[in-house]
Amino acid sequence: DAKTTQPPSMDCAEGRAANLPCNHSTISGNEYVYWYRQIHSQGPQYIIHGLKNNETNEMASLIITEDRKSSTLILPHATLRDTAVYYCIVRIDTNAGKSTFGDGTTLTVKP
Amino acid sequence: DAGVTQSPTHLIKTRGQHVTLRCSPISGHKSVSWYQQVLGQGPQFIFQYYEKEERGRGNFPDRFSARQFPNYSSELNVNALLLGDSALYLCASTWGPTGSNYGYTFGSGTRLTVV
């Protein structure tokens, strides 16, 4: 799996968009970008994933740059319950379930 | 529907002892993965099982072993416990061998403390 780099922490005001960056400059053409989050004392929760195109679901949007070397997870209207550690993972889909998570970004949503 | 269930939720063991952790996947899921999460770090992959066969192993010593049963539940065994084995052990399941489009669903984990 390609290595990812994320800022250790970020703050966001409640109701505003949270933009979480991830660098994955060594990503291969067949590797997907996955995002998970982990709220304190719980297991990680799948958020979204993508290969090349931008993706959106009910939780978030994923923007992948054209060269695929970086991506941004967007939470459009952050709430206090979005306070969590967010992990960006790059992996070949056939190796799903074998990923090692990095240290992630601790997002703190403030009132 | 029940999610991924793990037992026990908390456990205290003494160095040198053996421990067995259990995981029941979501109904219909045939693949189970195990992770170790040391405090302050992200989860580290230990094992993946699909249809009762080992499909992957992370960089962990032979003291760690696992198996998957015909009902797709799984056990993680750790022998000769060390203080450094203290961690949150997470189980994740998905329906197929690759996880495909929906990622993995994680349980809430077993908190193991070795004293």
Side-chain angles (χ1 to χ4, degrees):
Chain A
D1 298 340
K3 181 177 172 56
T4 62
T5 304
Q6 298 177 253
S9 63
M10 294 181 63
D11 291 341
C12 177
E14 188 178 20
R16 304 296 293 268
N19 296 283
L20 293 95
C22 179
N23 286 318
H24 31 79
S25 59
T26 61
I27 191 170
S28 301
N30 58 350
E31 288 184 308
Y32 288 74
V33 180
Y34 280 78
W35 283 83
Y36 287 81
R37 73 179 182 184
Q38 187 173 25
I39 296 170
H40 183 62
S41 299
Q42 298 181 20
Q45 176 191 24
Y46 166 81
I47 302 174
I48 199 168
H49 78 287
L51 182 62
K52 296 180 184 178
N53 301 320
N54 298 337
E55 302 288 343
T56 296
N57 63 20
E58 65 277 6
M59 290 183 67
S61 294
L62 173 61
I63 308 297
I64 303 174
T65 59
E66 192 168 343
D67 63 7
R68 303 210 323 121
K69 293 185 177 182
S70 65
S71 61
T72 300
L73 178 74
I74 301 173
L75 308 178
H77 305 287
T79 71
L80 299 179
R81 288 179 295 180
D82 291 323
T83 293
V85 179
Y86 287 78
Y87 296 100
C88 168
I89 303 162
V90 169
R91 66 170 185 242
I92 299 172
D93 198 50
T94 54
N95 285 336
K98 300 179 183 178
S99 299
T100 288
F101 293 58
D103 292 336
T105 296
T106 299
L107 174 69
T108 303
V109 180
K110 299 184 175 182
Chain B
D1 286 343
V4 177
T5 57
Q6 294 187 241
S7 63
T9 55
H10 295 82
L11 197 56
I12 299 175
K13 289 286 190 178
T14 304
R15 276 180 301 174
Q17 285 188 317
H18 163 271
V19 68
T20 297
L21 310 180
R22 295 178 174 82
C23 171
S24 293
I26 289 174
S27 178
H29 284 191
K30 300 180 178 181
S31 180
V32 168
S33 291
W34 286 95
Y35 290 81
Q36 180 196 65
Q37 186 173 23
V38 174
L39 194 62
Q41 298 180 16
Q44 304 293 306
F45 169 69
I46 309 175
F47 286 109
Q48 183 194 28
Y49 277 79
Y50 174 70
E51 288 283 14
K52 302 182 290 295
E53 291 188 1
E54 183 182 302
R55 289 299 188 98
R57 172 186 286 253
N59 188 24
F60 280 80
D62 292 343
R63 298 185 297 108
F64 289 77
S65 64
R67 56 179 175 169
Q68 187 177 33
F69 298 99
N71 66 353
Y72 304 110
S73 67
S74 179
E75 285 183 352
L76 175 70
N77 296 283
V78 186
N79 292 323
L81 285 167
L82 304 174
L83 295 179
D85 295 331
S86 295
L88 179 68
Y89 287 85
L90 294 159
C91 173
S93 77
T94 192
W95 63 272
T98 67
S100 235
N101 294 325
Y102 301 103
Y104 270 64
T105 301
F106 282 82
S108 295
T110 294
R111 174 71 63 185
L112 172 66
T113 302
V114 182
V115 297

